[in-house]
Amino acid sequence: MNDTALDQLLQQAVALHRGGRLQDAERLYRNILQARPHHASANHNLGILALAARAPLIALPLLKHALDAEPSVEQFWRSYLQALIAAGQFTQVEQLLVAAPLQFRQALDRHFNTPLQAARTRQLRSLFEDGRLEEAVVAAKALLARQPGDANVLGNLAVILRQQGKLQDAAAAYENAIALHPHIAEFHANYSVCLLALDEPQQALLRAEQALHLAPQQIGALVNRGNALAALGRLDEAVSTYYQALGINPQLLNALISVGDVLNRQGRYVQAQVHAEHALAIDPDQVDALIVLGTALQRQEHVAGAIAAFRRVVALRPADAKTHTTLLFLLMHDETQAPANVLAAHLAFADHFEKPLRPQWPLHRNTREPHRRIRVGFVSGDLHNHSVASFIEPVWANLDPVVLDVWVYANNQQEDAVTQRLRQHVAHWQKVDLFSDEQLAVQIQADSIDILIDLSGHTEHNRLLVFARKPAPVQATWIGYPGTTGMSSIDYLICDPFNAPQGFYERYYSERFARLPSTGAFAPPASAPPVNALPALQNGYVTFASFNRISKLGDGVVQAWSRVLDGVPGSRLMLANVDSMVLGQQLIARFARHGIAAERLRVSARVNLNEYLALHQQVDIILDTWPYTGGTTSNHAVWMGVPVVTLRGPSRAHCQSAAVLGRTGLHDWIADDVDSFVRLAVEHAADLQGLAITREGMRARWQASPWREASTVARGLEAGVRVMWQRWCAGLTAEHFEVPAAVVSVEHHV
């Protein structure tokens, strides 16, 4: 086909193209290219058809052929650059704009700069929304290379860096953006979020307030101000600020959730529940709202509702170990849960969080010398004015440093006088609350810990995911939690015959039981008042009481206590640690359903330690809860001369008070079923003379019991740790064992 024929064919194709007959035009263009593959106009026009059909990757080679054939045609440059932008090949666009012929370089640059920036911005937004954050950072930096002061891009880059967890880099980006654009309120507001994540709440507050100075109705800045105030402990101001934001937008999810969280911290659980339910009406799958709701319900003793909320959180956010552990803690309080079901839930935790780590467990190279000094590590988040400290301090104070080299890993920012006292009893102390799980596991292994002991279990501030990495060859759990951890990485549960009688509970634990002669060392507060005379002798009526958390008061407990009150005419019941009048009224209503008049109940607010101990001077008998019986509260009660009626049941949580009583020889206060519980309470209440004698001698009985002596527990722990260590040195797996009472020079009577 000669040039004349090709020109005629091209004219026909162009006419068809302009007339909208695109398929016919495409056929003629392709005919031309069959005859002359490098025909510039045919390649170009066919590329334009592909570009119009939103097929830039098909258009690109055609337009490139046209440009290569006739590089002096400006339109060919324009079309090829347009296709590159449509294909997202922005770097090539920038390179070509620099390489274009001088005579129309400025025109091309002027024409394509805006669409190129817009396309890069769209790409940046898309990458961010898709979670491709590294690519988004590259795209943002490319945009800034062309327009260094672009406020939108500067802000986006800072947000992306914050999403990546690169908080210091994000802070630098915000500083740069604010330096260039100090009057953009959004920059200050977003910077406050970054500063709060960097644990700089005071600076975060200043930035949020600067944003509000620039834009008083900036709703994000209001929420950020509230968050900063909450972090500073200025809770009333935080709530007021959140309400300002909700005044602008009552449906604002993050404000509803944040105000609910702070209200929970203030003990205003009913209001917190209202805001959480409002948020969930907007978004039923809002995880943080479910956490606020679950917490509010938990604090209001609505255990079943709290469990339902936290089950939903675990389903929606399965990687959240903290929430999962909260659910397990709640299950331990649910009187409707069978022990086998509770075990299954704990094993499910291990399947999710521990199982993936098992293939990476280290090969421990600790020296296998069975009789050498053993390096023992303790991990706890409760080494301050907390009940755990009351149990562990007397033991640490009595351990033999020749036998055990004690290392402590303290997992809490909170430190107080108790913390300082505890530190004096151990040789090695490290604050680890800022360590990641991996970092702490590496540190423990580097410290060559032989036996690592958890003092938290599934409670707040635990580091069970460190134990899941098996940083020590032998691992155990003790004190902080009466249930199983569910984890195969924890070999032993440290217990005694009082809180874990032989054969009662082993089948409900993943750990093997290491029974010491006693684990009952407890340091009563030095400020405790003296034991007074039996109040009933002066009052003319018996006063029962409970100092347990009200979340422990299930329906079965309330019903049984009501039967006790019915069986002891004129008796009263003090319900302590009730955080609000609303909760008090709810409790009174629950007893009213069982025929107990409100005047027989006394609701007492939470008070300080000395006031709480002094309340025992008004009480004749403590009524225990179940399935989660008293631990610290029962120890305090016995020290104050007030006996506890308890129900021993099918889990170790059911046996905590029974252990306290058993170590003090008060076996006749322990029931094995609800009817026996009611009968014991009524019978003891009827014997005021016997009660008075028991009360008068109880503190002396405590002091005389060998099972209460810290040295008994310390010697038993040393012997138990030695058994664990020798089994590992011999290549043996963990098994149940019991340290004989003779080891601590005490004849053992249970």
Side-chain angles (χ1 to χ4, degrees), residues 374-502:
I374 302 171
R375 187 168 291 192
V376 180
F378 292 88
V379 183
S380 177
D382 301 318
L383 302 177
H384 52 92
N385 187 15
H386 186 279
S387 57
V388 167
S390 298
F391 289 97
I392 200 63
E393 182 178 8
V395 180
W396 284 350
N398 281 272
L399 289 175
D400 186 345
V402 175
V403 177
L404 300 183
D405 181 17
V406 176
W407 294 59
V408 172
Y409 302 93
N411 186 52
N412 201 322
Q413 289 186 351
Q414 184 175 346
E415 293 187 343
D416 55 22
V418 175
T419 309
Q420 298 309 314
R421 210 168 59 229
L422 288 168
R423 294 184 73 147
Q424 296 173 11
H425 298 308
V426 299
H428 311 278
W429 183 289
Q430 186 161 12
K431 198 165 176 288
V432 298
D433 53 290
L434 298 180
F435 283 44
S436 70
D437 293 326
E438 183 62 33
Q439 287 172 329
L440 182 50
V442 169
Q443 182 64 58
I444 289 167
Q445 194 174 1
D447 292 338
S448 299
I449 299 300
D450 299 314
I451 296 179
L452 189 67
I453 300 176
D454 157 60
L455 298 178
S456 297
H458 288 284
T459 63
E460 193 174 12
H461 305 302
N462 78 73
R463 297 306 296 266
L464 289 178
L465 297 193
V466 173
F467 284 80
R469 290 164 165 79
K470 198 70 173 180
V474 181
Q475 301 189 153
T477 185
W478 187 29
I479 293 180
Y481 184 69
T484 181
T485 63
M487 294 164 52
S488 61
S489 57
I490 297 185
D491 306 285
Y492 294 100
L493 171 82
I494 297 173
C495 57
D496 67 22
F498 300 100
N499 61 26
Q502 283 276 2

Side-chain angles (χ1 to χ4, degrees), residues 199-215:
D199 196 25
E200 296 183 28
Q202 188 60 53
Q203 291 302 313
L205 177 62
L206 293 175
R207 287 296 176 182
E209 290 180 339
Q210 178 61 25
L212 291 168
H213 175 73
L214 295 167

Side-chain angles (χ1 to χ4, degrees), residues 498-499 501 505 624 629-630 634 644-649 652-667 669-672:
F498 300 100
N499 61 26
Y505 307 127
D624 203 8
T629 58
S634 294
V644 181
V645 184
T646 189
L647 172 60
R648 178 168 49 202
R652 273 192 68 246
H654 248 117
C655 202
Q656 294 185 118
S657 290
V660 174
L661 297 171
R663 296 185 193 108
T664 320
L666 296 168
H667 301 284
W669 291 81
I670 303 170
D672 289 318

Side-chain angles (χ1 to χ4, degrees), residues 324-335:
H324 205 140
T325 210
T326 300
L327 173 61
L328 297 177
F329 181 76
L330 284 167
L331 290 174
M332 294 287 291
H333 290 72
D334 186 357
E335 60 189 347

Side-chain angles (χ1 to χ4, degrees), residues 149 154 171-184 187-188 191 207:
L154 284 167
Y174 281 123
E175 292 280 7
N176 185 28
I178 289 170
L180 293 169
H181 305 281
H183 301 298
I184 297 180
F187 286 172
H188 294 277
Y191 191 14
R207 287 296 176 182

